[in-house]
Amino acid sequence: MTSSDAVTRRGFLMKIGLLFNAAVGVALSVPTLGYVLSPVSRQHKPGYDSWLSLGSVDQFPAGQTRLATYHNPVANFSDGETADIPCWVRNVDGKNFQVFAINCAHLGCPVRWFPQSGLFMCPCHGGAYYQDGSRASGPPERGLFQHNYKIEGGKLLIFAGEMPTPGRACKKPDLVVIQSA
């Protein structure tokens, strides 16, 4: 072996360094490519577009508000009890219902129903809502979020695919146009 064929210490360490950098580059690029290509490869999970039962209509007497739960249709096995999502069901008059998300519209703390005062109260920042879900006082700027519902076969169903959003929780103000003379 001649001196020109021998691997120098510098050359050996350079090859090890390049190999290490290539491995780190591949390790960092895999999640980045997964994120960038996720809209292309994403599969629609069944259950997002489904109606879920909250139980029999008889469970919710007229004029009362009750706590109900439904199981998240896209939950994983590892989600455990967190896959059971609570909501408040108000039977307005025996025929019409309101189904409220349990979360305060301010920062998402779970609201509690107080039948004595006819108010939903948030323990975190003092937000209060009337029995129809509209804002009574406190920091929330809008009413409670509501789920779409329907009655089918004597069961109260809510649409699981739609998350309650601010646009559905409060009425948007009319646009006023002021013209100058």
Side-chain angles (χ1 to χ4, degrees), residues 127-156:
Y129 303 90
Y130 294 115
Q131 67 182 357
D132 67 352
S134 61
R135 178 188 179 273
S137 69
E141 296 181 4
R142 58 186 167 268
L144 290 173
F145 302 128
Q146 291 189 46
H147 291 281
N148 287 335
Y149 79 92
K150 70 178 179 179
I151 298 171
E152 206 171 81
K155 300 238 182 237
L156 180 63

Side-chain angles (χ1 to χ4, degrees), residues 3 16 25 28-29 31 37 60-61 112 114 121-123 132 138 142 180:
S3 63
I16 294 292
L28 291 176
S29 67
L37 298 175
F60 309 103
R112 189 168 165 208
F114 290 90
M121 302 289 290
C122 177
D132 67 352
R142 58 186 167 268
S180 59

Side-chain angles (χ1 to χ4, degrees), residues 22-181:
V24 169
V26 168
L28 291 176
S29 67
V30 168
T32 304
L33 284 173
Y35 173 76
V36 170
L37 298 175
S38 67
V40 175
S41 64
R42 184 177 301 147
Q43 295 176 356
H44 183 71
K45 284 187 174 183
Y48 276 119
D49 300 328
S50 61
W51 289 88
L52 299 175
S53 175
L54 294 179
S56 171
V57 175
D58 300 335
Q59 290 178 263
F60 309 103
Q64 291 190 17
T65 301
R66 297 255 173 110
L67 185 66
T69 59
Y70 63 94
H71 192 75
N72 185 349
V74 292
N76 296 320
F77 175 75
S78 61
D79 291 339
E81 287 186 31
T82 61
D84 294 331
I85 302 171
C87 59
W88 290 106
V89 178
R90 176 177 176 240
N91 186 336
V92 179
D93 57 10
K95 297 176 187 172
N96 297 307
F97 290 84
Q98 288 181 298
V99 181
F100 302 111
I102 198 166
N103 306 90
C104 176
H106 178 229
L107 291 177
C109 294
V111 296
R112 189 168 165 208
W113 170 246
F114 290 90
Q116 304 86 353
S117 60
L119 293 171
F120 291 100
M121 302 289 290
C122 177
C124 296
H125 300 105
Y129 303 90
Y130 294 115
Q131 67 182 357
D132 67 352
S134 61
R135 178 188 179 273
S137 69
E141 296 181 4
R142 58 186 167 268
L144 290 173
F145 302 128
Q146 291 189 46
H147 291 281
N148 287 335
Y149 79 92
K150 70 178 179 179
I151 298 171
E152 206 171 81
K155 300 238 182 237
L156 180 63
L157 306 169
I158 64 168
F159 191 64
E162 291 182 4
M163 292 303 292
T165 59
R168 293 178 37 212
C170 59
K171 188 176 182 181
K172 293 183 181 178
D174 295 327
L175 181 63
V176 178
V177 178
I178 300 173
Q179 296 178 350
S180 59

